[in-house]
Every structure is written in structure tokens, then in C-alpha cells.
Amino acid sequence: LIPQHLLKPFDERELELVIGGLGTIDLQDWKSNTRLKHCSPETPQVTWFWNIVTRYDEEMRARLLQFVTGSSRVPLQGFKALQGSTGAAGPRLFTLHLVDVDVKNLPKAHTCFNRLDLPHYPSEEIMSDKLTQAVEE
């Protein structure tokens, strides 16, 4: 249907966004249905993460979601219905996991588990730069 030469400029993630379009991502639903590992809602890095996501436009939010879960779309039932790709029954919530690694590292995504490993970045600015770099690569 679409000539192959028109698809070549896109990787599979970009193509999903082009074909599927951008939906509206409900930040409150996302936040309410996020599991925290080795951190709490009051941990500075968690606060910074949500500040950064709030500043992102819809495209960057979709790209972040795609980076962590493998899909840029939220299930019809919302974030509480996110599925992992491990074959396990039931939902697998979006998870923020603070990890003890060098803060020069980029955040690491585990799409099978819908988990984002975040180093203990010393500032929101550094976290924003690293997170944006990871999502855009």
C-alpha cells in the first residue's frame, strides 16, 4: 500500500507514532498507576521525573512511554491495565526504579517489565538532559 522508499526514513518506533498518531496521555492516571522501587513519592528523583514529564509535550510523553513499555499507546482501561511482554498474566504497572549506578549513565528501560531504571541524578537539570537523550536515541 505504501511504497517502501517512503517508509525507509523511519525506524519502527517513529513508524508506530506516524501510523497510530498521538493520543492524549493522562498524567494523573500515569502517576497514580506507577510503582516505585527503591524510592518513594517524596524522593527528589521521583519529583523531578514527574516535573520533566509534565514539561514534555504529547509527542515526547508518547516517546517516553514507548521507550519504557515498547508502545506509545495507553491501554483503553488506562495505565492500570499496562501489560508486560513476559507472558505473565495480569497487568504490569509502569515502574520507576532508582538504581545505584554512575550518574553519567543514561536511564535504562526494561520493556518486558515496563520499568525505567533511573540513576540517583544530583539535579533535575541533569536528569532531564539524560532522560531526553535516552528517549531520543
Side-chain angles (χ1 to χ4, degrees), residues 41 57 80 97 110 128:
D57 62 19
K80 69 179 178 282
H97 180 203
H110 300 274
S128 181

Side-chain angles (χ1 to χ4, degrees), residues 84-132:
S85 57
T86 61
R92 189 172 290 277
L93 293 178
F94 183 92
T95 302
L96 288 179
H97 180 203
L98 279 189
V99 292
D100 289 319
V101 296
D102 192 324
V103 294
K104 293 178 184 155
N105 291 358
L106 294 176
K108 183 177 180 180
H110 300 274
T111 57
C112 292
F113 304 104
N114 298 334
R115 188 178 84 210
L116 181 64
D117 289 352
L118 282 173
H120 288 265
Y121 294 118
S123 73
E124 185 172 337
E125 181 181 359
I126 291 170
M127 180 186 282
S128 181
D129 290 345
K130 297 287 189 181
L131 184 60
T132 301

Side-chain angles (χ1 to χ4, degrees), residues 3 10 16-17 39 43 54 66 69-70 83 85 90 103 111 119 125 129:
F10 303 102
E16 180 188 0
L17 289 171
C39 55
T43 303
T54 299
Q66 187 176 54
T69 69
Q83 299 291 314
S85 57
V103 294
T111 57
E125 181 181 359
D129 290 345

Side-chain angles (χ1 to χ4, degrees), residues 8 11 13 20 31 46 73 103 111 120 122 127:
K8 286 189 182 207
D11 66 24
R13 293 176 298 168
K31 198 173 183 179
V46 173
R73 307 292 276 176
V103 294
T111 57
H120 288 265
M127 180 186 282

